[in-house]
Amino acid sequence: MSMMSAWATVPSVALHARVRHLPGRAVKAPSRALTQKPHPARCVGVTRASSSSDGEVSLPKGARAKRGRGRRDGRPKPCRSSREDSPSQNAAVTSQQTATSSNESESASASDAVISVRNTSAGAEASMVQDAPSSDWSSREIGTVACFAALAAGTVANAGGPTTFANELKRAFESLIANHLPGVGGVIEDSFLGLLTVCTVYSLWRSSLVPKPIGNPITRKSKTLASWAHVISGGGALLTGLYGIGLERIYRETPGWGWMWVSSALFLTNALTYTPLMAIFKASKEGKYAMKLGYSFVASFQGVVFIAWSARSDAPDWMYYAVMPFWFFSIGKLWESTEFVLALAPDSETKKTAPSLLDKISTGSKKRLGKMTPDAATLTYVSLNAFAAVFDNCYMALYTVLGPEQFWHTSQTFNDADFHLRMVKGTTGSLTVALLIFISTLGWRKQMPMSLAIWLNVILGSVGPWIVLFWHKLQDPSENWFPQFVFDPAYDYHPLWDTAAALGAGN
């Protein structure tokens, strides 16, 4: 019951008297003094102090009774007074009703007081329970901590014990210092790889692959099989990519075949399972199309990985043919990069009356990407991505024509740093683009400032792949910028179709 039920409108003597007809008897009309109706209070609290000893209720002067609709306290709406009612009967009935109302009001007030106290106590207890911080961990959090503790213990045990593990850490630190490149090249390499490491660790900390309390995952909006495959493959790709660049930077060593197959499969799976998430990705048309372009780069970079590893002496012959399906992603990113360029193309002055050829070509791109602002970050992003897409397609085309041996001849003979770094360049480029996609997602979901996400997008997505491409120049500035496009005059180059024609002729 609410607090308003503790109040009752006090009925008037004449207004609330029931009409009683006595057959066969004439009732004397009441006098003017008796029929004068007092003004009832609009809302007067009925207590023992407000009622007189003989049942009469004293009302404040000028108070009016509150007329309610329907029934009052379970009683029907009273009729108006009639001249056939006697004054004594009116007074008696009114006194009885007033006493009943007073008793009911007192009971209601007492009941409301008890209920109010109970509700207040229950609310206070609920508030105390809700506000009290919970110090108990859930079973999932305990399992997470136990899993990471077991992983750390397994790593130490695999190293040969705590002492051997500490010695290995010391050796890694000494190798990190000893293998620092001299000059500006070392500064650029350490700055870029350090940024990759920080962004990778942060992305793993925010991914759903590392639950609380170790991680701080963002809320997942999709829990389908495709989204689970995307999350697991993405986390695994970040870990394997970080392992590859760490092994190169610390020890200047190359991972083995197992690392290559696992990392490439994880990056490719991550790039192919993003499509179901686009329906719930809250971003602009430009943002969604940028994500599509980013995953096209990640998928096509696995073709670059296959190109690099096909030049190993122990590589299977079929790796050349395994590169060919990646033409699909390479041409796809070329078209998607072109769409960004067309979306930024200015409209001609006569577009509405006589549209130019550029207006007609760019109309579809502008509809698909929406309105884009040609600021510094956007222009840098679009231009560098377009050049990268063109270069990658030329890279693929030359490899398709020459094959692994002729394609890598100049690098293997004259550019040792490039021939060594080719083993990790493709995976490092994949890691760079995968990080920028996840960071952009954090920006769109307001998990980090959008301005920071934009500039990290420019550094990682547009500048980063070019740093990876020219990584060999940081180690040895004397090497060629594009060794694969430099031909050795003393080497006999011949396209693969010439070789196939010679073999077909029996020569």
Side-chain angles (χ1 to χ4, degrees), residues 190-211:
D190 288 349
S191 299
F192 179 69
L193 296 183
L195 178 63
L196 280 185
T197 302
V198 171
C199 291
T200 302
V201 173
Y202 177 76
S203 298
L204 288 172
W205 183 62
R206 296 305 310 271
S207 75
S208 301
L209 194 64
V210 184

Side-chain angles (χ1 to χ4, degrees), residues 391 395 418 425 464-472 481-482 484:
F391 177 83
Y395 194 88
D418 179 69
K425 279 186 175 182
W466 291 99
I467 296 178
V468 175
L469 178 64
F470 300 128
W471 194 353
H472 63 282
W481 286 96
F482 305 100
Q484 289 73 40

Side-chain angles (χ1 to χ4, degrees), residues 303-335:
V304 176
V305 173
F306 278 43
I307 290 175
W309 285 74
S310 66
R312 282 182 58 130
S313 58
D314 57 346
D317 295 336
W318 52 262
M319 284 200 71
Y320 169 79
Y321 302 99
V323 175
M324 298 302 110
F326 292 96
W327 268 109
F328 174 80
F329 303 105
S330 188
I331 296 176
K333 71 182 180 184
L334 179 62
W335 166 244

Side-chain angles (χ1 to χ4, degrees), residues 96-119:
Q96 182 178 1
Q97 291 179 353
T98 303
T100 303
S101 300
S102 176
N103 293 335
E104 291 178 354
S105 300
E106 291 176 1
S107 301
S109 300
S111 301
D112 283 349
V114 174
I115 295 175
S116 177
V117 171
R118 291 178 179 176
N119 291 341

